[in-house]
């Protein structure tokens, strides 16, 4: 009962506009006070605060953010899209395919869905509209492609999950590789099928010369090598995630210098933006950890697990119920809030059911991504509308629908075949 | 909106305003980056940098403390906007004030808790294992940072134009 009241109180505070981390912290602190008394609750919160800011593993977050901001400063934002557009842009639906490839490439730097949608949207949308693509396909492909940023490593969402669930961030990154690549493939197949069905929505256009293609590929080669080194280094066990993040940040700084984009202003802007985002995430993590302690004491997870067991059907029923809960909550809460609220409740259930927490992390982020492209939250839709102001939101949503269908099939595949998530870490011995 | 990289970047004005805070946080971040990179290279060439992890921990603490204050000063905290965005300006301003007040109280509690733990551990002379980095100043930094965050939230709750941009 206490746990349920805590969840309700949290939802009320979130709705009233209290910052996510603070709302979780307040409910956690208040709940702990009721359960174990004020003094122990306060002491526990103080311990969480100090241990969190002193935690070496959390260094991965600001360092990856720094790498991303150095890459932005190096002007790398549009390079992946440009290269893909030169290579396949002339084919039917080619620019939409290039948007997905650009989102995957940019997502591997930014680790963020909104930043990916906004950046690729800025370069991809005008190009597609100029070449006669339908608004629905152009906006839909970028909005959906943007969600790749949440899953493709190094993913900010996976880092936060790893910290909350006390799971290896390196294993999570390795586990995300196949799901992220297959997600991009699903989107590409969707575009190909749509363009085959209605060729007018993504017309074939002029082919770029080989010189142009070579030049655009050469432009991304340093960046691609850096991303490969960072992700590959983690997957192969060369570096810990924190080490990989620092190597990535140093590499991105050198890349910035090589491209003659390194000056005091760009350095200062990259550091300031990193600090701002880092602060936001630290507050969220501190609040979520306090909330998590409270949840573990309430026994809510056990009660929900008992309820699920009562339904019969074992793992499958539990997974279907969890998916429905996540999709329902994802309609009213944004991704981060959804993850922070549900992890302390659902993770113990997942463990009790004998499912892998690593699989759960990928499944959770994958479900969370859906919230980025469906109303009423659908932040990617708003980001895209902010770029293509004359396209109504309803048309953007119409454009996203085929990708949303692909998302559901992909999610079902990840549920039905957990090996898609777990095989690579097992094979590489992560 | 609560994505990990906000779409809106900091302005040059903001960056100037947070001068000393910026140097502490950015310094910590760059130290962590450099030490970790040196440690990785050192390990590869057979010259491990002993105690690198402890330096990074201290540097990250500086970054975390100053970044929480920076995020608070620049209103960068992740918030669910579903309902408040649809409210008329007046109730939205009041809700914003309330949210800031709750936030101030929460951070004041955290600061008190951290101060309490610091006082209790004061005479234990805690330090790291290899480099003997003392934890006392680190604890004090956390207490001061969380108190400063509470003060900024409280100021945001009571200032006359509170919530105008919410």
């Amino acid at each position: 009962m206490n746990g349920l009241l805590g969840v309700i109180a949290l939802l009320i505070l979130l709705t009233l506009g209290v910052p996510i981390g603070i709302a979780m912290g307040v409910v956690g602190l208040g709940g702990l006070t009721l359960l174990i008394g004020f003094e122990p609750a306060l002491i526990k919160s103080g311990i969480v605060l100090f241990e969190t800011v002193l935690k070496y593993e959390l260094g991965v977050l600001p360092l990856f953010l720094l790498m991303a901001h150095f890459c932005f400063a190096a002007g790398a934002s549009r390079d992946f899209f440009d290269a893909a557009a030169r290579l396949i842009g002339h084919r039917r639906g080619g620019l939409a395919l290039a948007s997905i490839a650009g989102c995957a490439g940019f997502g591997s730097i930014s680790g963020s869905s909104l930043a990916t949608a906004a950046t690729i949207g800025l370069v991809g949308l005008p190009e597609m509209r100029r070449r006669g693509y339908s608004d629905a396909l152009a906006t839909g492909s970028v909005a959906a492609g943007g969600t790749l940023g949440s899953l493709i490593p190094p993913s900010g969402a996976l880092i936060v999950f790893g910290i909350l669930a006390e799971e290896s961030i390196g294993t999570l990154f390795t586990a995300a590789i196949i799901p992220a690549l297959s997600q991009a493939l699903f989107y590409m197949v969707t575009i190909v099928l749509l363009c085959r069905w209605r060729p007018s929505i993504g017309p074939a256009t002029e082919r770029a010369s080989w010189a142009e293609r070579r030049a655009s590929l050469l432009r991304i080669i340093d960046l691609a090598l850096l991303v490969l080194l960072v992700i590959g280094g983690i997957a192969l066990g060369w570096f810990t995630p924190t080490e990989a993040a620092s190597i990535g940040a140093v590499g991105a700084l050198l890349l910035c210098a090589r491209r003659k984009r390194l000056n005091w202003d760009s350095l200062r802007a990259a550091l300031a933006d990193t600090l701002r985002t880092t602060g936001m995430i630290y507050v969220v993590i501190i609040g979520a950890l306090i909330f998590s302690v409270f949840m573990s004491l309430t026994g809510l997870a056990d009660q929900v697990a008992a309820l699920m067991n009562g339904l019969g059907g074992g793992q499958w029923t539990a997974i279907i119920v969890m998916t429905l809960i996540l999709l329902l909550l994802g309609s009213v809460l944004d991704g981060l809030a959804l993850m922070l609220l549900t992890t302390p409740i659902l993770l113990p259930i997942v463990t009790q059911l004998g499912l892998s927490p690593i699989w759960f992390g990928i499944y959770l982020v994958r479900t969370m991504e859906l919230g980025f492209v469906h109303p009423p939250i659908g932040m990617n839709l708003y980001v895209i509308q902010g770029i293509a102001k004359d396209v109504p939101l309803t048309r953007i949503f119409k454009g996203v629908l085929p990708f949303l269908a692909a998302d559901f099939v992909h999610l079902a595949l990840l549920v039905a075949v957990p090996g898609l998530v777990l095989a690579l870490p097992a094979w590489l011995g992560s | 909106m609560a994505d990990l990289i906000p779409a809106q970047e900091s302005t040059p004005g903001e960056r100037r305003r947070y001068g000393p805070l910026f140097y502490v946080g950015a310094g910590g971040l760059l130290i962590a980056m450099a030490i970790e990179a040196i440690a990785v290279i050192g390990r590869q060439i057979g010259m491990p940098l002993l105690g690198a992890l402890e330096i990074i921990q201290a540097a990250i603490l500086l970054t975390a403390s100053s970044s929480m204050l920076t995020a608070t000063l620049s209103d960068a905290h992740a918030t669910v906007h579903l309902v408040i965005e649809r409210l008329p300006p007046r109730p939205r301003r009041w809700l914003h004030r309330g949210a800031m007040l709750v936030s101030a109280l929460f951070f004041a509690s955290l600061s008190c808790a951290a101060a309490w733990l610091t006082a209790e551990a004061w005479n234990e002379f805690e330090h790291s294992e290899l480099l003997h980095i003392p934890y006392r100043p680190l604890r004090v930094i956390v207490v001061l940072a969380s108190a400063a965050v509470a003060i900024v939230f409280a100021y945001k709750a009571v200032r006359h134009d509170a919530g105008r941009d919410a």
Side-chain angles (χ1 to χ4, degrees):
Chain A
M1 190 62 185
N2 283 326
L4 196 62
L5 287 176
V7 172
I8 293 168
L10 176 63
L11 290 174
I12 292 171
L13 284 179
L14 290 176
T15 311
L16 294 177
V18 176
I20 296 172
I22 289 157
M24 302 194 91
V26 166
V27 173
L29 184 58
L32 284 173
T33 303
L34 288 175
L35 292 179
I36 57 175
F38 180 66
E39 194 180 314
L42 200 62
I43 288 175
K44 183 67 198 164
S45 306
I47 292 170
V48 168
L49 170 68
F50 189 67
E51 284 185 349
T52 307
V53 294
L54 196 65
K55 204 177 180 84
Y56 165 77
E57 289 79 7
L58 254 178
V60 67
L61 203 64
L63 289 172
F64 267 131
L65 287 170
L66 188 61
M67 173 189 161
H69 284 294
F70 281 152
C71 284
F72 301 161
S77 308
R78 61 176 299 156
D79 290 354
F80 281 110
F81 172 79
D82 281 345
R86 297 279 182 283
L87 283 177
I88 51 170
H90 59 284
R91 293 178 182 277
R92 202 189 289 157
L95 286 176
L97 294 172
S99 296
I100 301 296
C103 284
F106 186 79
S108 66
I109 303 170
S110 76
S112 151
S113 184
L114 292 182
T116 304
T119 308
I120 301 300
L122 275 174
V123 290
L125 280 180
E127 189 77 10
M128 282 192 268
R129 298 183 78 191
R130 196 166 58 81
R131 306 263 186 114
Y133 276 56
S134 82
D135 287 340
L137 178 65
T139 53
S141 58
V142 179
T147 62
L148 283 165
S150 291
L151 188 61
I152 206 156
S155 147
L158 285 177
I159 295 175
V160 174
F161 176 81
I163 299 289
L164 285 182
E166 294 180 344
E167 289 297 328
S168 155
I169 293 167
T171 311
L172 281 165
F173 282 176
T174 311
I177 293 175
I178 292 178
L181 292 179
S182 56
Q183 182 186 350
L185 192 68
F186 266 59
Y187 288 160
M188 288 182 168
V189 170
T190 307
I191 292 167
V192 170
L193 291 177
L194 284 173
C195 290
R196 199 167 273 186
W197 176 47
R198 287 176 61 196
S200 63
I201 62 172
T205 55
E206 201 180 322
R207 183 193 287 261
S209 69
W210 278 107
E212 283 175 315
R213 290 174 176 195
R214 204 169 37 245
S216 66
L217 277 177
L218 282 175
R219 238 191 339 266
I220 60 163
I221 203 138
D222 48 2
L223 197 61
L225 283 176
L226 181 66
V227 169
L228 275 180
L229 176 71
V230 168
I231 300 175
I234 296 172
L236 295 171
W238 295 346
F239 322 120
T240 65
T242 315
E243 288 171 349
S246 72
I247 294 285
V250 171
L253 184 67
L254 294 175
L255 199 133
C256 212
R258 201 178 80 84
R259 292 184 173 199
K260 297 187 172 54
R261 298 285 191 101
L262 185 63
N263 54 45
W264 176 237
D265 282 343
S266 65
L267 183 68
R268 202 179 157 93
L271 286 163
D273 290 336
T274 302
L275 284 180
R276 207 170 66 144
T277 314
T278 300
M280 180 269 273
I281 298 170
Y282 263 95
V283 171
V284 161
I285 290 175
I286 290 165
L289 288 173
I290 297 173
F291 180 75
S292 186
V293 175
F294 164 58
M295 275 294 133
S296 65
L297 285 181
T298 61
L300 181 65
D302 293 332
Q303 288 158 16
V304 177
L307 201 70
M308 283 184 184
N309 284 333
L311 293 173
Q315 279 188 2
W316 288 104
T317 313
I319 292 172
I320 291 168
V321 171
M322 276 195 295
T323 308
L324 289 175
I325 292 172
L326 289 170
L327 290 175
L328 200 69
L329 282 175
S331 311
V332 287
L333 286 177
D334 68 4
L336 194 57
L338 176 70
M339 172 191 277
L340 299 170
L341 171 65
T342 54
T343 300
I345 301 167
L346 296 182
L347 187 63
I349 298 172
V350 165
T351 319
Q352 278 179 32
L353 287 168
L355 296 166
S356 156
I358 297 291
W359 172 84
F360 178 68
I362 306 297
Y363 155 85
L364 181 59
V365 172
R366 191 69 191 83
T367 318
M368 186 186 109
E369 282 178 340
L370 296 179
F372 279 112
V373 284
H374 75 74
I377 304 267
M379 283 308 302
N380 279 14
L381 306 181
Y382 294 104
V383 166
I384 297 299
Q385 205 207 9
I387 298 166
K389 290 189 171 61
D390 55 324
V391 183
L393 206 58
T394 47
R395 197 175 304 160
I396 301 176
F397 181 58
K398 203 179 129 198
V400 160
L401 277 177
F403 297 97
L404 207 51
D407 277 334
F408 281 113
V409 177
H410 186 247
L411 187 64
L413 192 68
L414 293 184
V415 170
V417 191
L420 283 174
V421 175
L422 301 172
L424 195 60
W427 186 54
L428 294 171
S430 294
Chain B
M1 183 264 283
D3 199 30
L4 296 185
I5 295 187
Q8 199 184 4
E9 291 177 351
S10 59
T11 61
E14 271 179 351
R15 288 175 220 149
R16 270 194 300 276
R17 225 181 309 154
Y18 311 141
L21 207 56
F22 168 80
Y23 289 110
V24 172
L29 197 54
L30 291 174
I31 288 171
M33 178 187 83
I35 296 287
E36 188 73 288
I38 292 168
V40 173
I41 294 166
R43 199 180 58 215
Q44 299 298 328
I45 61 170
M47 291 172 63
L49 185 65
L50 284 180
L53 196 144
E54 294 174 1
I55 303 173
I56 294 165
Q57 276 185 309
I60 290 293
L61 180 137
L62 284 180
T63 300
S65 304
S66 80
S67 68
M68 285 195 287
L69 193 47
T70 306
T72 310
L73 283 164
S74 47
D75 282 322
H77 289 294
T79 308
V80 174
H81 291 287
L82 185 65
V83 173
I84 48 171
E85 262 178 3
R86 287 162 176 78
L87 291 175
R90 204 178 153 85
R92 195 193 310 172
R93 272 205 297 277
W94 280 105
L95 279 180
H96 181 76
R97 277 180 196 271
M100 294 298 104
L101 202 62
V102 169
S103 306
L105 288 172
F106 174 65
F107 264 94
S109 311
L110 281 187
S111 180
C112 290
W116 188 345
L117 290 170
T118 305
E120 284 195 345
W122 194 256
N123 293 321
E124 290 170 15
F125 299 100
E126 298 171 291
H127 55 72
S128 63
E129 274 177 39
L130 286 172
L131 301 179
H132 294 270
I133 297 172
Y135 281 179
R136 272 209 310 214
L138 299 182
R139 284 190 180 277
V140 170
I141 289 169
V142 175
V143 173
L144 292 177
S146 44
V149 172
I151 290 167
V152 173
F153 271 129
Y155 171 71
K156 283 178 186 281
V158 298
R159 71 176 183 192
H160 71 282
D161 61 342
R164 198 139 291 177
D165 310 321

